[in-house]
């Protein structure tokens, strides 16, 4: 059963799930950084998320159906995977990045992916979403021989880092 939320407003319903700073950043790191384990998320956080906050957000994202948690045997790392509703946030994340490019100070190293996503538009977002479905849900990409959006994003990031 879904939580009814404070109102029936779709914007409110969305904000109640993803509206705090850390939730979107955790999703960003799973989505664009391919970080799937607690320690990877903690160590790779550009913003320095605290372990208790990360733990809380991961639990909330699993409960909300945005992430799935691969339970493992003792001694193995728990793996988090994007669920389809989280994958469908790619266009929103791209638009948030585009807004930040235009209206907030950013660094070359951290803005390059947002620039590429803005330039690539809906076609690149769709390709990236297909890749996420393949890697997180096991659904093969429609054109497995096509160059990947992930590779393009990684090359652009590596080039930006090399310039810094």
């Amino acid at each position: 059963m879904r939580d009814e939320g404070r109102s029936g407003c779709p914007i409110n319903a969305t904000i109640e799930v993803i509206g705090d700073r850390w939730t979107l950043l955790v999703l960003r790191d799973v989505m664009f950084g391919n970080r799937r384990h607690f320690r990877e998320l903690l160590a790779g956080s550009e913003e320095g998320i605290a372990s208790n906050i990360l733990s809380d957000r991961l639990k909330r994202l699993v409960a909300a159906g945005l992430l799935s948690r691969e339970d493992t045997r003792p001694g193995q790392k728990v793996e988090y995977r994007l669920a389809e509703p989280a994958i469908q946030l790619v266009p929103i994340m791209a638009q948030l990045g585009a807004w930040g490019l235009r209206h907030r100070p950013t660094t070359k190293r951290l803005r390059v992916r947002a620039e590429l996503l803005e330039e690539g538009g809906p076609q690149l977002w769709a390709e990236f979403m297909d890749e996420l479905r393949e890697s997180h849900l096991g659904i093969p990409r429609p054109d497995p021989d096509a160059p990947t959006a992930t590779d393009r994003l990684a090359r652009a990031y590596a080039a930006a880092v090399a310039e810094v």
Side-chain angles (χ1 to χ4, degrees):
M1 183 175 145
R2 288 195 162 163
D3 183 5
E4 293 298 317
R6 290 185 204 138
S7 74
C9 171
I11 293 172
N12 177 67
T14 302
I15 295 302
E16 286 186 5
V17 175
I18 63 168
D20 72 274
R21 170 185 179 192
W22 293 113
T23 299
L24 284 174
L25 296 178
V26 170
L27 285 171
R28 175 203 65 190
D29 289 348
V30 176
M31 192 177 287
F32 296 103
N34 197 31
R35 297 182 188 126
R36 296 187 190 209
H37 304 284
F38 183 89
R39 291 279 171 218
E40 291 173 335
L41 289 160
L42 188 63
S45 171
E46 288 282 339
E47 295 77 17
I49 191 169
S51 61
N52 62 322
I53 293 172
L54 175 58
S55 178
D56 177 70
R57 291 324 182 270
L58 289 169
K59 287 175 188 169
R60 287 183 191 192
L61 287 164
V62 169
L66 295 176
L67 291 179
S68 65
R69 176 188 158 116
E70 177 85 17
D71 288 321
T72 58
R73 296 186 308 272
Q76 290 184 319
K77 294 180 186 178
V78 170
E79 183 174 311
Y80 294 93
R81 295 181 184 208
L82 296 170
E84 181 62 26
I87 293 170
Q88 290 180 18
L89 288 171
V90 165
I92 293 166
M93 299 291 259
Q95 289 296 317
L96 285 170
W99 186 90
L101 289 171
R102 286 189 298 279
H103 302 290
R104 305 299 303 165
T106 60
T107 64
K108 176 69 175 165
R109 180 176 69 86
L110 296 176
R111 70 183 282 129
V112 66
R113 289 184 183 130
E115 290 170 338
L116 187 60
L117 284 165
E118 183 176 32
E119 291 165 12
Q123 181 176 342
L124 181 61
W125 307 341
E127 291 169 15
F128 185 59
M129 289 166 58
D130 285 340
E131 290 172 40
L132 291 173
R133 287 183 186 102
E134 182 174 61
S135 66
H136 289 264
L137 304 176
I139 299 169
R141 290 185 298 136
D143 185 359
D145 297 325
T148 67
T150 302
D151 288 342
R152 286 184 275 177
L153 291 168
R155 282 193 307 272
Y157 179 76
V161 168
E163 291 177 12
V164 174

